Amino acid sequence: MRISKLNATIEAGINFITGQGEEILVSDSSPAQEPWQPDYTYQTCFVPSLILQSLSQLKAPKLERLRQELFDFIVQQQSDKWSFNYWARLSPEAKTLPYPDDLDDTFSALIGLFMHDPEYIYQAGLPQIVSLLLATETVAGGPYRTWLTANDDPKWQDVDLATNANVACFLKLINSQTPQLQEYIANQIKTGQLTSVYYPSPFPIIYYLARVCPAQSQKTLLVSIKSLRPRNALQNALSLQALCLLASKDSSVKLLADKLGRLQSPDGSWPAAAFCLDPARGGKSYYHGSASLTTAFALEALQTYKRLSAINTEDTNNTADAALNNITRLAKHDIASLAPAMKPVARRMLASMNLPKIVLLPHLFARGLKITPQTNLDAPLGLANLYGWMAYTIYDDFLDEEGQLQQLPLANWAMRQSLNYFKKVDDQQFLQTTIQAFDTIDAANAWEISHCRWHVIDGILQVGRLPNYQKRQNLADRSIGHSLTPLAILASCGQPLDEPSVKSIRQAFNHYLIARQLDDDAHDWQADVSKGHISYVVAAILADIDYSVDMPIKQLIPIMRQQFWHHSLVKICADMQIHIKQGQAELQNNPLLKKDNILPQLLDGLESSVKLTLNKQKQATNFLAHYQKVR
């Protein structure tokens, strides 16, 4: 779907949902999933909570009033214990078909409230929320029972996957996930038990799980999601959102987005379908949904698709589209010349890559220069980036002991292609720099294998010597190839690479790569240590805790997690800020760059991410303090 079509589709959906007025609080109950023919109309707390969650992902000014109205409605449904019910408190069904309050509705409401106004939760809600969790936990840290009732009848004591996924989502928002709850979710995914007694299909479950899926379970969940076949717009939207969160590079993501666009009704909505189960009547099952709910899910999914596809809404001119289309066409032409055994592997690899993010860097960097390149290098440099990324992605998999042998010949071919396209830059100083950069990458990978790998045998980490990352230059060296296309652009403008303004740009990119790698390592440290990969962040955590030789991973990770959230994360963020500030200083008043150049934007984006992370860390610490105090 082209950016203009995608924007128009989202805009039409927003116009529909903002025009619903109070009808957005009303949803339907049908005796059949297909055809959808509602017999009853209900007012729940659940559906407005879900709609607020989805609409909070879109920052369109048109939605501000509606989001606030939804927020205000949900707050009115809150009990003095901060629990919520399926029914709206003043609805007739709250009396004629009463349910106890429950965690599924409670945490769906809390997620929506938090997404709209986090301070509302932090100012008064934490002690009450902790009490709700303590009252329903089956073991310390979860999983949790669904119903908030003292009734010990087994039907009110169930432990439900969807409910616990929503609890986990809220805890993730405040950075307070428990390892016990994560383990429960991971086990459910591993066994393929993606069901809930409160939902008629697995699609809501995969939507919930994709938001909280443990890193080690993502591939398994992805396989389960891709095995499903959506039959309507609601299921399509839920599948698209789940895939975007787990595998934005997967080729099926675009297919789902295109199909979702085609399923939009002329009035901008997407039709109602069965999302959850309603109370049975006369022994017959009933299903709940609404066009507003489906539309909200569709808007969320399309907005996520738009963001993760790296479509720059400030760069929607035809030149970027033309550059991307041309590079993609040339890449497909190159792949067509491969040997038959390599073609399908290469095509799958190409389809899995986030092409705009990878191939448009030289185009965007060139547009942000005050000087003009002597030749248009969008295509050769975009392809050089593409093939370099392809090769090193495959090599990285082998370094992580996850490589697929059938991809190895492709990596070697892609590396040669990358070098061949870099050679199209007619500048000997740049070509020598390119060779040096590839040598640096190989040396950095060799150092990592030699110094940053400990053995894991039967789940037990064989403790070795912590690697010395010195001044963190190793973190930039393994990714230094990403800086080559901007240098090629500068060389094509006639700028010597040892000229002070160019050296400042090179240093800024170096600092960006270090900060970016620290950010990646901070997100991946649990998966890394589980495989015996001692990243910079893993090493920083281990350096500050007491650990013994032959440490079981399951015993070690909780200790490391405590250290990470309370101490190490702040230090890592401080390290990131050092490099971000140094990079920004290198670029300040650089005579070669316009104010809108992509490189300062990359550094500014990382700086915002660090500030957000530190804020969440503070909030998580606050939550944990409440949790421990009550316990």
Side-chain angles (χ1 to χ4, degrees), residues 41-42 55 75 116 217 237 278 289 316 318 320 357 389 408 506 532 541 560 573 625-626:
T41 298
Y42 294 141
L55 297 187
V75 168
H116 181 74
S217 304
D278 266 337
T316 58
N318 291 331
K357 177 181 177 181
W389 197 294
L408 189 56
R506 295 180 70 174
I541 300 170
M560 294 181 68
C573 285
H626 280 293

Side-chain angles (χ1 to χ4, degrees), residues 577-596:
Q577 288 175 321
I578 288 171
H579 291 285
I580 291 168
K581 294 298 183 185
Q582 289 179 347
Q584 291 170 330
E586 293 284 358
L587 297 179
Q588 191 171 15
N589 301 321
N590 190 295
L592 299 176
L593 304 182
K594 296 179 182 177
K595 290 183 179 180
D596 64 348

Side-chain angles (χ1 to χ4, degrees), residues 66 115 250 273 336 347 386 456 589 613:
L66 175 57
M115 286 182 169
D250 194 278
R347 286 170 178 157
L386 170 65
V456 176
N589 301 321
T613 297

Side-chain angles (χ1 to χ4, degrees), residues 488-603:
I489 295 292
L490 292 169
S492 73
C493 294
Q495 294 292 315
L497 299 188
D498 54 1
E499 191 269 332
S501 296
V502 177
K503 289 174 70 175
S504 290
I505 292 173
R506 295 180 70 174
Q507 283 299 316
F509 221 105
N510 191 71
H511 287 300
Y512 166 74
L513 292 174
I514 293 173
R516 182 57 187 267
Q517 189 61 54
L518 287 172
D519 188 52
D520 290 344
D521 288 352
H523 284 91
D524 298 339
W525 72 263
Q526 292 188 61
D528 287 338
V529 74
S530 297
K531 295 182 290 187
H533 297 177
I534 313 303
S535 69
Y536 181 91
V537 172
V538 171
I541 300 170
L542 290 174
D544 291 333
I545 66 172
D546 292 327
Y547 59 93
S548 60
V549 176
D550 300 341
M551 193 83 166
I553 293 291
K554 286 188 176 181
Q555 179 182 339
L556 178 62
I557 284 182
I559 300 171
M560 294 181 68
R561 186 184 293 113
Q562 182 80 2
Q563 174 67 26
F564 176 74
W565 279 112
H566 286 277
H567 304 287
S568 303
L569 179 58
V570 176
K571 294 180 182 179
I572 298 302
C573 285
D575 291 340
M576 289 179 64
Q577 288 175 321
I578 288 171
H579 291 285
I580 291 168
K581 294 298 183 185
Q582 289 179 347
Q584 291 170 330
E586 293 284 358
L587 297 179
Q588 191 171 15
N589 301 321
N590 190 295
L592 299 176
L593 304 182
K594 296 179 182 177
K595 290 183 179 180
D596 64 348
N597 191 276
I598 186 66
L599 184 50
Q601 291 178 21
L602 292 174
L603 285 164

Side-chain angles (χ1 to χ4, degrees), residues 314-531:
E314 297 178 357
D315 184 29
T316 58
N317 59 68
N318 291 331
T319 59
D321 286 341
L324 176 60
N325 291 336
N326 186 44
I327 294 167
T328 303
R329 177 183 60 82
L330 292 171
K332 290 180 178 179
H333 181 268
D334 287 343
I335 289 172
S337 66
L338 287 171
M342 291 177 63
K343 284 182 185 179
V345 180
R347 286 170 178 157
R348 286 194 297 271
M349 190 74 184
L350 182 67
S352 72
M353 301 176 76
N354 192 337
L355 292 181
K357 177 181 177 181
I358 295 169
V359 305
L360 288 182
L361 176 61
H363 169 83
L364 296 174
F365 182 78
R367 286 187 67 238
L369 289 176
K370 294 179 180 179
I371 52 179
T372 304
Q374 298 173 4
T375 55
N376 186 339
L377 293 172
D378 284 356
L381 292 181
L383 289 165
N385 242 15
L386 170 65
Y387 291 125
W389 197 294
M390 183 182 291
Y392 278 106
T393 297
I394 298 171
Y395 291 147
D396 276 345
D397 285 343
F398 277 95
L399 292 174
D400 291 341
E401 302 175 15
E402 297 175 353
Q404 302 178 36
L405 284 177
Q406 66 269 29
Q407 291 184 341
L408 189 56
L410 177 64
N412 296 333
W413 172 81
M415 181 56 67
R416 292 195 301 272
Q417 288 290 99
S418 182
L419 281 169
N420 288 337
Y421 279 112
F422 275 128
K423 288 178 181 178
K424 295 185 182 294
V425 180
D426 188 16
D427 186 280
Q428 288 302 312
Q429 187 183 25
F430 168 74
L431 293 178
Q432 184 60 38
T433 299
T434 300
I435 298 300
Q436 291 172 351
F438 281 19
D439 289 343
T440 298
I441 294 169
D442 290 337
N445 286 333
W447 179 87
E448 180 176 325
I449 294 171
S450 298
H451 296 86
C452 308
R453 295 290 186 270
W454 293 356
H455 295 297
V456 176
I457 301 175
D458 295 330
I460 297 177
L461 182 66
Q462 311 293 307
V463 175
R465 184 176 181 180
L466 287 176
N468 181 3
Y469 281 91
Q470 299 176 351
K471 295 183 179 181
R472 298 181 283 273
Q473 183 58 42
N474 318 66
L475 304 180
D477 287 348
R478 65 195 301 256
S479 305
I480 203 70
H482 299 325
S483 68
L484 288 174
T485 51
L487 295 182
I489 295 292
L490 292 169
S492 73
C493 294
Q495 294 292 315
L497 299 188
D498 54 1
E499 191 269 332
S501 296
V502 177
K503 289 174 70 175
S504 290
I505 292 173
R506 295 180 70 174
Q507 283 299 316
F509 221 105
N510 191 71
H511 287 300
Y512 166 74
L513 292 174
I514 293 173
R516 182 57 187 267
Q517 189 61 54
L518 287 172
D519 188 52
D520 290 344
D521 288 352
H523 284 91
D524 298 339
W525 72 263
Q526 292 188 61
D528 287 338
V529 74
S530 297
K531 295 182 290 187

